[in-house]
Amino acid sequence: MAEAAVPDAGSSDVNNVTAVNPTANAMTYLQDEMKHDVEPVPALSLGDLDITTDEFILDEVDIHIQANLEDDLVKEALKTGVDLRQYSKQVEAELQRIEQASIKDYIKESQNIASLHNQITACDSILERMEGMLSGFQSDLSSISSEIQTLQQQSVSMNVRLKNRQAVRSQLSQLVDELVVPGAMISVILESPVTEQEFLEQLHELNNKINFAKELSFRETLACSDIQDIVDRLKIKAVTKIREFILQKIYSFRKPMTNYQIPQNTLLKYRFFYQFLLANERQVAKEIRDEYVDTMSKIYYSYFKSYSGRLLKVQYEEVADKDDLMGVEDTAKKGFFSKPSLKSRNTIFTLGQRGAVLSPAELEGPILIPHTAQRGDCRYPYETLFRSQHYALLDNGCREFLFLSDFFMVAGNSALDLFNCIMGKTLSMFLKSMSAYVSDCYDSIAIFLCIHIILRFRAITAKRNIPALDKYWEAVLELLWPRFELILEMNIQSIRNTDPQKLGVLDTRPHYITRRYAEFSSAIVSINQTFPNERTNALLGQLQVEVENFVLKMAAEFPSRKDQLIFLINNYDMMLSVLMERAADDSKEVEGFQQLLLARTQEFIEEILSPPFGGMIAFVKESEALMEKGQLDRLKNDEARITQLVRGFSSTWKQSVEALSQDVMRSFTNFKNGTGIIQGALTQLIQYYHGFHKVLSQPTFRSLAVRSELINLHHLMVEVKKHKPNF
């Protein structure tokens, strides 16, 4: 507003006007501003309603009047009855007074306003110069930006060229490094022993250069021809030295008493030698492999043949033959069982300590040393020798298979074929000698133990993940299983064909044939628990049936039923005791003989109670049967019989119980069994006497005078307890 008002004062030069009369200019400026800026209050602008003008429109006047009437001040004035004309003059005067005061304030500040005007002018000039400087800067920046873009393009181009050169340099450097044959490599390959570490390192480098040269030859690289000759000569020299070294180690196996595992470990340390030969000189690699196979095949065959022959010298001299069967009588002929001094007699049907060969400690224990055993005059059963022989085979076979897989770098069927080339002759020799032995063997426990030794060894090789001997284990089992089943069937047939009349003097004690069966069956069942075989269980079931039939046939030879029962109980008890020592309590054999023993024991109790107490027992049974039918009155006339029974029991029961106890203890070899039978008999006697009491308490017999002579049941139980034997 200040700059706009100055020209209106009538001067064209602001600076000149301000310099000549700043006060007059300010006054003029303020008056003009007041004229333009001061406006009346809209609510009190009644003077604006000029009704003399030609442009007056009645409608618009009505609108203005209505609008003014709505004003709060107008409403207030109308309410209070103020004279609007007078009020308008007061406002007019007030406005003039304010205008004069405002002009004085402007005049008072005129110096400051003039100074402000000068400062604004100075600022304008300074800003104009700065605008010129910034324009120059902008021009300079434009030129710098173009230069930067140029430099950036040059930098990108240089970076691309650098990367290309680095890539080319890397490939060329690698190519040159692979092509160059260092003098150190030549001297080491030619002069150093193959056992030196530096020879092995340089051999790796030479192998890399040979492979690189082959790769370059496929690409028809000209530089390859520069090094081909020297690389080939170094390869020939290395192959020659390696061949001599490996063959020397292989030939060292052939020396007597050599532990071939030591040179094998040395070869494993230098397994890269064979890898180098296989990659660069296959004929030499094949020569070494064939030489190793031939050497080790002969070594294993010689070792195991000698070892097996020496083991047989420490076997028991007395072995079972075709007459040593379960059903053969002792007096039939002079044979295996007719020699009371035979040390190994019990080993035919008795397991004894022979089962220890299957324990983990002995199964994988040290092998037998034949000459040490001979010096100590020790003898062993066949299964112990079999375990030692086959554990040596397992140990050497596993180690050999791992060596072949590692050193000759073979796997799968290739490894198995190579293993069979080395061990095949030895395994065939084992199978042949075993077939000859098994065909004439009648020791079924020995055969069965050998079967379970093989089953456990097969599990060990499977755990070690060594499949090399799997086929051999199967071949051995195919030899042993049929022979074991044949011997078992021969024993079954021998018991079936046994003639009781040819077995000598009758005796109620356990028969030696049933003892053989008990020992044999418990041995087979205990061994068979780890690796159950259904065919074996079926054959044992057949054997058990034949033994049960044999016991019944033998019992039938006794004239009295009492002796028959004593014989049956003694044999069942003996077989059950032996079976429970080794077999599980829930085995079929144990359950079967428990049922037979219980039935025969109950029958025997009835048999021994019959002579002294038969009359009373018969009366009780007859009376109980009639009581069930309601016909007890049919016995009311048997007073004399009842009196005899009551008085006879009272006078003789103590002597009868004593005699019964002594008879039982003499009849049974197992005191525990005899004691159980006596307790069962006395318990049964009390039950019968309790029944006798119950019958006589019925109305039919209640009037009998002899009832007063009955022994008190509680008193009888106390007295009976005194007769129970204690062992």
Side-chain angles (χ1 to χ4, degrees):
M1 290 175 63
E3 292 180 0
V6 172
D8 292 340
S11 176
S12 62
D13 191 348
V14 177
N15 294 327
N16 293 335
V17 172
T18 304
V20 174
N21 191 359
T23 303
N25 288 334
M27 289 296 293
T28 302
Y29 169 74
L30 291 174
Q31 290 175 358
D32 290 340
E33 286 297 313
M34 290 297 294
K35 290 178 181 179
H36 289 91
D37 291 345
V38 176
E39 296 180 359
V41 178
L44 301 177
S45 58
L46 296 177
D48 293 337
L49 299 177
D50 187 4
I51 60 176
T52 61
T53 178
D54 294 334
E55 297 177 359
F56 174 76
I57 298 174
L58 185 60
D59 292 337
E60 290 181 0
V61 171
D62 291 339
I63 292 172
H64 284 293
I65 292 173
Q66 188 64 32
N68 288 329
L69 289 176
E70 293 296 328
D71 188 87
D72 292 338
L73 293 176
V74 174
K75 287 181 180 180
E76 185 65 24
L78 291 176
K79 287 180 181 180
T80 56
V82 176
D83 186 357
L84 294 179
R85 293 183 181 87
Q86 185 64 30
Y87 184 72
S88 176
K89 292 179 180 180
Q90 290 178 0
V91 171
E92 183 90 17
E94 183 68 22
L95 288 175
Q96 289 178 358
R97 185 183 61 79
I98 293 171
E99 180 181 358
Q100 292 298 324
S102 178
I103 291 171
K104 291 178 182 180
D105 288 339
Y106 274 108
I107 293 171
K108 184 178 179 181
E109 296 294 332
S110 61
Q111 293 292 335
N112 294 334
I113 293 173
S115 176
L116 177 62
H117 178 74
N118 293 333
Q119 291 176 4
I120 291 173
T121 303
C123 286
D124 285 342
S125 64
I126 294 171
L127 290 175
E128 185 178 357
R129 290 196 301 273
M130 289 182 67
E131 182 179 1
M133 292 173 61
L134 291 175
S135 297
F137 288 156
Q138 184 178 7
S139 177
D140 294 340
L141 288 174
S142 298
S143 62
I144 292 173
S145 176
S146 62
E147 291 178 1
I148 289 175
Q149 290 179 355
T150 303
L151 291 174
Q152 186 177 8
Q153 292 175 357
Q154 293 177 356
S155 175
V156 171
S157 176
M158 292 174 65
N159 191 30
V160 171
R161 290 198 300 271
L162 177 61
K163 288 182 178 179
N164 292 336
R165 290 178 181 179
Q166 287 177 342
V168 172
R169 178 182 178 183
S170 175
Q171 294 183 1
L172 287 176
S173 176
Q174 182 179 358
L175 177 64
V176 172
D177 290 341
E178 294 292 344
L179 288 175
V180 172
V181 180
M185 176 187 291
I186 298 173
S187 62
V188 170
I189 295 296
L190 295 178
E191 300 173 3
S192 296
V194 295
T195 56
E196 295 291 336
Q197 180 64 27
E198 59 179 355
F199 180 87
L200 185 61
E201 294 173 356
Q202 294 299 330
L203 188 66
H204 278 280
E205 291 295 327
L206 177 61
N207 189 57
N208 293 335
K209 292 187 181 300
I210 293 173
N211 294 332
F212 190 71
K214 290 179 182 178
E215 183 180 350
L216 291 180
S217 65
F218 288 128
R219 300 177 185 175
E220 298 181 356
T221 304
L222 297 178
C224 178
S225 58
D226 295 339
I227 64 165
Q228 191 66 50
D229 181 59
I230 187 170
V231 168
D232 288 342
R233 284 188 290 172
L234 286 176
K235 181 182 73 173
I236 294 172
K237 183 62 177 179
V239 168
T240 303
K241 295 176 71 173
I242 291 172
R243 175 182 176 277
E244 291 177 356
F245 171 75
I246 297 179
L247 289 179
Q248 180 184 3
K249 290 296 178 185
I250 294 174
Y251 293 151
S252 67
F253 296 169
R254 303 176 181 179
K255 296 179 182 178
M257 305 301 292
T258 298
N259 183 358
Y260 60 87
Q261 295 176 12
I262 296 176
Q264 272 187 340
N265 292 335
T266 303
L267 288 177
L268 284 178
K269 184 179 178 181
Y270 300 103
R271 61 174 64 86
F272 180 72
F273 288 173
Y274 184 79
Q275 182 180 347
F276 181 83
L277 294 178
L278 194 63
N280 298 290
E281 198 62 53
R282 288 187 171 271
Q283 284 299 114
V284 177
K286 184 178 183 302
E287 177 191 2
I288 287 176
R289 184 167 130 172
D290 293 344
E291 192 66 33
Y292 178 84
V293 169
D294 182 64
T295 299
M296 292 307 297
S297 175
K298 292 178 180 178
I299 288 174
Y300 281 125
Y301 179 79
S302 175
Y303 167 73
F304 279 107
K305 183 178 181 181
S306 173
Y307 183 66
S308 301
R310 292 179 181 178
L311 280 178
L312 293 177
K313 293 180 181 179
V314 295
Q315 185 183 1
Y316 282 131
E317 296 178 358
E318 304 87 355
V319 293
D321 58 25
K322 61 181 180 180
D323 295 321
D324 296 324
L325 299 174
M326 196 174 297
V328 175
E329 59 273 16
D330 279 350
T331 58
K333 55 179 285 188
K334 185 178 181 181
F336 187 84
F337 292 106
S338 64
K339 299 178 182 179
S341 61
L342 189 61
K343 294 181 179 179
S344 60
R345 177 178 183 179
N346 291 331
T347 61
I348 299 301
F349 299 108
T350 304
L351 184 61
Q353 297 300 319
R354 299 172 70 182
V357 74
L358 297 178
S359 65
E362 189 166 338
L363 187 69
E364 299 184 56
I367 63 174
L368 290 176
I369 309 299
H371 62 270
T372 303
Q374 283 180 313
R375 283 202 300 266
D377 198 22
C378 297
R379 291 292 182 269
Y380 300 94
Y382 178 73
E383 64 272 7
T384 301
L385 309 181
F386 182 88
R387 195 282 316 175
S388 182
Q389 181 187 43
H390 281 80
Y391 187 68
L393 174 65
L394 181 148
D395 192 40
N396 285 276
C398 290
R399 184 181 292 107
E400 186 63 31
F401 182 80
L402 293 174
F403 173 81
L404 295 175
S405 301
D406 197 359
F407 185 78
F408 291 104
M409 297 179 297
V410 289
N413 292 330
S414 299
L416 294 177
D417 293 340
L418 185 59
F419 179 84
N420 290 329
C421 290
I422 294 174
M423 300 296 293
K425 191 176 180 181
T426 301
L427 299 180
S428 299
M429 181 265 294
F430 270 23
L431 291 174
K432 184 177 180 181
S433 62
M434 195 179 308
S435 177
Y437 173 81
V438 168
S439 63
D440 195 38
C441 176
Y442 295 89
D443 187 352
S444 53
I445 290 182
I447 297 294
F448 200 58
L449 285 172
C450 291
I451 289 173
H452 279 263
I453 288 171
I454 293 299
L455 292 175
R456 284 162 173 77
F457 282 168
R458 185 172 65 179
I460 291 174
T461 54
K463 185 178 180 181
R464 296 180 183 180
N465 197 23
I466 305 294
L469 293 170
D470 288 352
K471 291 185 177 179
Y472 174 75
W473 300 140
E474 295 299 327
V476 174
L477 292 175
E478 289 175 2
L479 279 175
L480 296 177
W481 272 119
R483 186 63 186 180
F484 172 73
E485 294 174 359
L486 176 63
I487 298 173
L488 205 52
E489 290 171 353
M490 291 172 65
N491 281 286
I492 294 172
Q493 189 64 35
S494 70
I495 294 177
R496 185 182 296 128
N497 297 335
T498 299
D499 186 359
Q501 296 181 354
K502 295 181 180 181
L503 297 180
V505 181
L506 292 175
D507 192 344
T508 58
R509 290 175 297 181
H511 199 273
Y512 59 84
I513 290 181
T514 58
R515 181 171 292 279
R516 292 174 187 171
Y517 162 76
E519 295 287 352
F520 177 78
S521 180
S522 64
I524 299 302
V525 169
S526 63
I527 296 171
N528 200 45
Q529 288 175 351
T530 307
F531 294 92
N533 180 268
E534 292 302 323
R535 174 61 177 163
T536 301
N537 293 333
L539 290 172
L540 285 178
Q542 295 179 21
L543 182 61
Q544 181 179 351
V545 171
E546 294 302 328
V547 169
E548 291 174 3
N549 293 336
F550 164 76
V551 173
L552 294 175
K553 287 192 296 183
M554 285 296 300
E557 296 295 316
F558 291 91
S560 68
R561 183 56 182 168
K562 178 182 176 182
D563 289 340
Q564 291 177 1
L565 293 173
I566 292 173
F567 177 80
L568 291 173
I569 291 172
N570 274 329
N571 281 275
Y572 290 153
D573 177 64
M574 180 273 299
M575 289 188 287
L576 185 61
S577 299
V578 174
L579 283 169
M580 291 182 68
E581 287 180 5
R582 297 185 180 276
D585 293 342
D586 58 349
S587 65
K588 293 187 297 183
E589 292 81 6
V590 171
E591 291 179 356
F593 284 116
Q594 281 177 337
Q595 295 175 0
L596 291 172
L597 179 61
L598 182 62
R600 294 298 175 261
T601 300
Q602 193 62 37
E603 184 181 352
F604 178 74
I605 289 173
E606 296 290 336
E607 187 71 23
I608 60 175
L609 289 176
S610 180
F613 309 108
M616 182 191 70
I617 294 172
F619 177 78
V620 170
K621 290 181 178 179
E622 181 182 359
S623 300
E624 289 177 346
L626 291 173
M627 285 172 62
E628 290 180 359
K629 298 178 182 179
Q631 301 174 0
L632 189 60
D633 291 342
R634 294 173 57 181
L635 299 177
K636 64 181 179 180
N637 296 324
D638 289 350
E639 182 179 352
R641 177 186 175 190
I642 294 172
T643 301
Q644 182 182 359
L645 290 175
V646 172
R647 291 174 179 173
F649 183 85
S650 300
S651 61
T652 63
W653 74 270
K654 289 185 179 181
Q655 295 85 351
S656 299
V657 168
E658 184 67 29
L660 181 147
S661 299
Q662 294 177 1
D663 185 31
V664 169
M665 297 311 298
R666 285 194 302 267
S667 300
F668 297 101
T669 55
N670 185 348
F671 288 155
K672 183 179 179 180
N673 185 40
T675 302
I677 292 174
I678 292 174
Q679 291 178 353
L682 296 178
T683 302
Q684 189 66 32
L685 175 62
I686 292 174
Q687 290 178 352
Y688 280 131
Y689 198 68
H690 179 264
F692 191 51
H693 267 262
K694 184 178 180 181
V695 170
L696 294 184
S697 65
Q698 297 299 315
T700 305
F701 306 111
R702 196 171 294 171
S703 61
L704 295 177
V706 75
R707 289 183 64 246
S708 62
E709 299 181 22
L710 287 171
I711 300 174
N712 181 270
L713 193 62
H714 179 70
H715 176 69
L716 178 63
M717 293 174 64
V718 173
E719 291 296 323
V720 163
K721 286 183 179 180
K722 297 178 181 179
H723 290 273
K724 288 184 178 180
N726 296 315
F727 295 97

